Amino acid sequence: MNCRFCNNKLSHELVDLGFSPPSNSYLNSHQLNEPEVFFPLRIMVCDSCFLVQIDEFKDHSEIFNSEYAYFSSYSKSWLKHAENFAKVMEAKLGLDENSKVIEIASNDGYLLQYFLKKGISVLGIEPTGNTAQVAMNKGIDCIVDFFSHNLASELATRMIKADLLVGNNVLAHVPNINDFVSGLKILLKHDGVITMEFPHLLNLLGKNQFDTIYHEHFSYLSFTTVSKIFESHGLEIFDVEEIFTHGGSLRIYAKHKEFVGFTVEERVHKMLEKEKANGLLQLKTFSSFQEKVDLIKNSLLQFLIDAKKNSQKVVAYGAAAKGVTLLNFCGIKKDLISFVVDASPHKQNKFIPGVHIPIVNEVEIKKLKPDYVIILPWNLKNEISDQLQYIDSWGGQFVVAIPRIQVF
């Protein structure tokens, strides 16, 4: 396996999570008796550019298809995040009816709807037809396709370019990161701005966020490495912000390298120094991660086994990709967790791939009155615990497994 950015031969392993099915390949009842395909979850570190990455075992066109089950708008906190971002960008960049906002991986229009309400022209680029259709039903123009150098070139020949080019949680999802970033360069107006949000590798390592590793995520990104990738394609990152989403992410701001309308902020230099100080340019920093991951696995299994011995009922909330990784790595099945609740009707009445735990409506919690509800998308634990606070009426408690087992 060679590095997907610099083509260096990879020989350093970060973590091996065994084998897991694709994270969003939820099963219907008929598929439970059919064979399932599992792929390796073995993550490597490039000793040249320090890009952390997984090989492409399952083609991205098979993962992001018309059966894709993740719809962004089912998280209230994510919608609020998107609305706030739209307000800030409108003011910061002076966006108006003459501007063009293009979002890559626009999903169900969770973000572009807020620009559209302000009379700003928008375009979504989204490969999953079912989510794109929801966006189109909101009046958002969408291209149902994967973003690429070729697609950007085609749009540019039609005089379609972006004043603001957005990509939230997409950069980690692309197998050919060089092709993708070169396309950003083409699609951006000469004085335009790119913003990208992605989970920060520093948090993955420091907070044991191994469940963010799954086959949809081909890369795990540091600011240092992303800066190198952008620079190699004629783009310059001029600002960076640390944001709370997905357990701690970065939002970067980039421009054409030759455009001098934006000054490189001090935060850029401070972030580079922060990552260096935390060892992200040293291989030894990555060497102890497997041990930390195994400790979480053992602790969670012990907790569930003890609950079983005490005849306590345990369920989970949030059939997110994080949960699929965690449950499969730990080998947790419905003998230890009765069911997983999810707000999305696109996931209800299906089953977690690999471990076959049923996904149900929230009403099942009120029927069963479990002793524990494990919140699988721990990044939303406040939102979910507020929503389910009624479990306190029968003495129920919440549990999260990352960065360590916590009962509250």
Side-chain angles (χ1 to χ4, degrees), residues 17 208-214 321-323 325-326 376 378 402:
L17 301 180
N208 301 327
Q209 296 171 352
F210 72 90
D211 57 344
T212 60
I213 296 170
Y214 39 92
K322 290 180 177 67
T325 293
L326 179 68
L376 297 175
W378 41 261
I402 308 294

Side-chain angles (χ1 to χ4, degrees), residues 185-220:
K185 172 78 173 173
I186 294 168
L187 197 56
L188 187 67
K189 286 184 180 178
H190 77 282
D191 58 350
V193 171
I194 297 168
T195 68
M196 293 257 150
E197 296 180 11
F198 51 85
H200 194 187
L201 176 63
L202 193 59
N203 289 312
L204 188 154
L205 297 174
K207 299 180 180 179
N208 301 327
Q209 296 171 352
F210 72 90
D211 57 344
T212 60
I213 296 170
Y214 39 92
H215 299 107
E216 288 182 25
H217 285 172
F218 296 105
S219 303
Y220 302 84

Side-chain angles (χ1 to χ4, degrees), residues 21 135 137 166-167 211 260 262 279 300 314 319 360 375 381 387 408:
N137 292 344
V166 183
D211 57 344
V260 296
F262 298 101
L300 179 58
V314 182
V360 300
I375 299 176
K381 70 176 184 179
Q387 176 185 330
F408 61 99

Side-chain angles (χ1 to χ4, degrees), residues 353-373:
V355 295
H356 298 183
I357 300 174
I359 305 169
V360 300
N361 186 282
E362 185 183 327
V363 68
E364 299 301 324
I365 292 181
K366 297 176 181 178
K367 290 181 181 177
L368 184 65
K369 292 182 170 57
D371 297 282
Y372 298 106
V373 176

Side-chain angles (χ1 to χ4, degrees), residues 88-203:
V88 170
M89 289 300 102
E90 181 189 5
K92 189 171 186 175
L93 302 180
L95 300 175
D96 57 26
E97 66 275 5
N98 298 313
S99 305
K100 187 78 168 181
V101 177
I102 301 177
E103 184 184 14
I104 301 166
S106 51
N107 201 265
D108 59 8
Y110 75 99
L111 170 64
L112 291 180
Q113 62 184 337
Y114 297 113
F115 288 105
L116 190 64
K117 288 176 183 178
K118 295 290 187 177
I120 300 169
S121 176
V122 300
L123 174 66
I125 300 173
E126 170 57 50
T128 63
N130 54 345
T131 65
Q133 186 58 57
V134 174
M136 288 186 274
N137 292 344
K138 298 174 182 176
I140 296 168
D141 290 334
C142 289
I143 296 172
V144 182
D145 201 351
F146 288 97
F147 181 73
S148 64
H149 180 101
N150 287 341
L151 178 58
S153 299
E154 179 188 330
L155 291 172
T157 61
R158 292 160 48 192
M159 306 304 292
I160 298 174
K161 289 198 172 189
D163 295 281
L164 173 61
L165 182 54
V166 183
N168 289 341
N169 303 303
V170 63
L171 191 59
H173 289 73
V174 294
N176 191 336
I177 201 164
N178 286 312
D179 179 85
F180 184 91
V181 177
S182 70
L184 299 179
K185 172 78 173 173
I186 294 168
L187 197 56
L188 187 67
K189 286 184 180 178
H190 77 282
D191 58 350
V193 171
I194 297 168
T195 68
M196 293 257 150
E197 296 180 11
F198 51 85
H200 194 187
L201 176 63
L202 193 59
N203 289 312

